Amino acid sequence: MITLGIESTAHTFGVGICDDDAILSNVTDTYRGEGIHPRKAADHHADVAGDVTRRALEHAGLCASDIDLVSFSQGPGLGPCLRVGATAARALSLRNNVPIVGVNHCIAHIEVGRFLLGIDDPVTLYVSGGNTQILAYAGGRYRVFGETLDIGIGNMQDTFARAVGIEFPCGKRIDELVSAGTTYLDIPYTIKGMDFSFTGMLSEAIKHARTHPLEDVTYSLMETAFSIVVEATERAMSHTQKRDLLLAGGNAASPRLREMCTIMAHDRDGEVHIPPFAVCRDNGAMIAVEGMVEYAAGRRMALHETTIRQKWRSDEVDVIWRD
Ligand code: FE2
């Protein structure tokens, strides 16, 4: 079965194609404004949708009539952006007379890792701009074992970068500053139970930046944020007795976060799994894989059920494709 998946929850419009065994193509085009303006990002997605779809088909060596199934990110995400992806998916489905399946974006991050890396039952640490969550399968659902109570780590990083004058996109520069920092400055360690929050430490870091070297401030901020999520992830692994940790989301690219996760997992005889960056970040291939897996398990969707779900939580999805 050939599945074409469309991603458009936030700043990235992506189209990926997979068959039963492999990802055949994965093309993305990302809105590059400072921060994210939902309407402008949606306009960007509408502008590039046709070209990204054409390139994804071309890379896979296919034409639109070869597609057996269309899937798309139904939520969670920004309304205007989600609507562009849903509309493109409906158009493709109708034009080619093939079924359509809307999938949960966060769960797609997990399933593409399981599909590509052959991990059976991981705890997933999903770290990105809009989302920071710890997810694991239990009792027919992907349960949220811990999550941010305000903003995602990526959003915190971007806001900090803007406040201290680091150019967007800031990821690479932040990683350099993190490894150059030598002195740890006091940053609030804000974890409550299994949930965490990043806005307090962000404010404190911006204050520190007035009087301390940027390397030390950035290092202290990111070290604290990563320590918090790794602590909660370790507790989730301990509670669920799962030994595999899957890293997902754009911030999974951070060398320091990868290192911390590796140390933690090895300490408890576990293992860290990190998919290639192209499928770690927001992308269409993970949506294609999720659609294919759900369709094969019997998921069917009428056109009127394909409306977007901006606040769709992972633990609301019936996981019909496992057990
Ligand atoms: Fe994501």
Side-chain angles (χ1 to χ4, degrees), residues 7 9 105 109 126 128 131 249 280-282 286:
E7 160 59 26
T9 53
H105 171 94
H109 273 294
Y126 169 30
S128 71
N131 297 289
C280 242
R281 59 168 300 190
D282 288 354
M286 70 181 196

Side-chain angles (χ1 to χ4, degrees), residues 4-16 26-31 41-42 44-56 72 81-89 92 281-284:
L4 180 146
I6 299 179
E7 160 59 26
S8 73
T9 53
H11 47 38
T12 295
F13 186 87
V15 175
N26 194 18
V27 177
T28 54
D29 195 314
T30 298
Y31 165 73
H44 160 271
H45 296 352
D47 285 346
V48 303
D51 185 54
V52 172
T53 307
R54 186 188 53 74
R55 282 194 287 145
F72 69 100
C81 299
L82 285 169
R83 270 180 216 107
V84 175
T87 305
L92 267 176
R281 59 168 300 190
D282 288 354
N283 68 94

